[in-house]
Amino acid sequence: QVQLVESGGGLVQPGGSLRLSCAASGSIVGIYVMGWYRQAPGKQRELVASLTNAGSTNYADSVKGRFTISRDNAKNTAWSLQMNSLKPEDTAVYYCNLGGISGSWGQGTQVTVSA
């Protein structure tokens, strides 16, 4: 069983930056993709960014050029999402994920972008 713990959410003004971190523990052998999803009120959960063991990344069109996903260690047990030039429409609960839609999820961390 895998446990994921997020940190780093909060309130930021438009144009600001935040860094989200995720730490994984448990049995993660053989899992090849890590990522971040978000869910805004009244909307479906959507993929924000993903990173494979091979280093391939994928980003939602709405965050390309502003967000960067990265691995924090070689064991794939920690990864981050650097969010720059934040916009009000980035406001959502952000979830870290390991293993895709059918994989493991963190508890979520609130990101609010507001003046």
Side-chain angles (χ1 to χ4, degrees):
Q1 191 171 358
V2 176
Q3 296 80 41
L4 305 180
V5 178
E6 302 116 335
S7 60
L11 172 65
V12 64
Q13 293 185 341
S17 298
L18 280 176
R19 185 178 182 88
L20 305 182
S21 297
C22 185
S25 60
S27 177
I28 62 173
V29 175
I31 299 177
Y32 301 105
V33 61
M34 59 197 75
W36 292 92
Y37 289 71
R38 68 185 180 187
Q39 187 167 19
K43 295 187 177 181
Q44 289 188 332
R45 190 172 298 189
E46 63 174 354
L47 174 68
V48 176
S50 64
L51 172 65
T52 70
N53 279 9
S56 296
T57 57
N58 183 39
Y59 293 94
D61 287 343
S62 60
V63 307
K64 285 180 180 177
R66 300 188 296 122
F67 291 12
T68 303
I69 187 171
S70 61
R71 183 184 299 117
D72 292 343
N73 61 31
K75 297 181 179 179
N76 297 329
T77 58
W79 59 98
S80 298
L81 183 70
Q82 178 66 41
M83 305 185 293
N84 298 327
S85 303
L86 283 160
K87 304 176 181 180
E89 50 264 44
D90 294 318
T91 296
V93 178
Y94 284 69
Y95 298 89
C96 68
N97 168 270
L98 188 63
I101 293 292
S102 60
S104 301
W105 297 89
Q107 78 283 359
T109 185
Q110 177 70 45
V111 172
T112 302
V113 185
S114 174

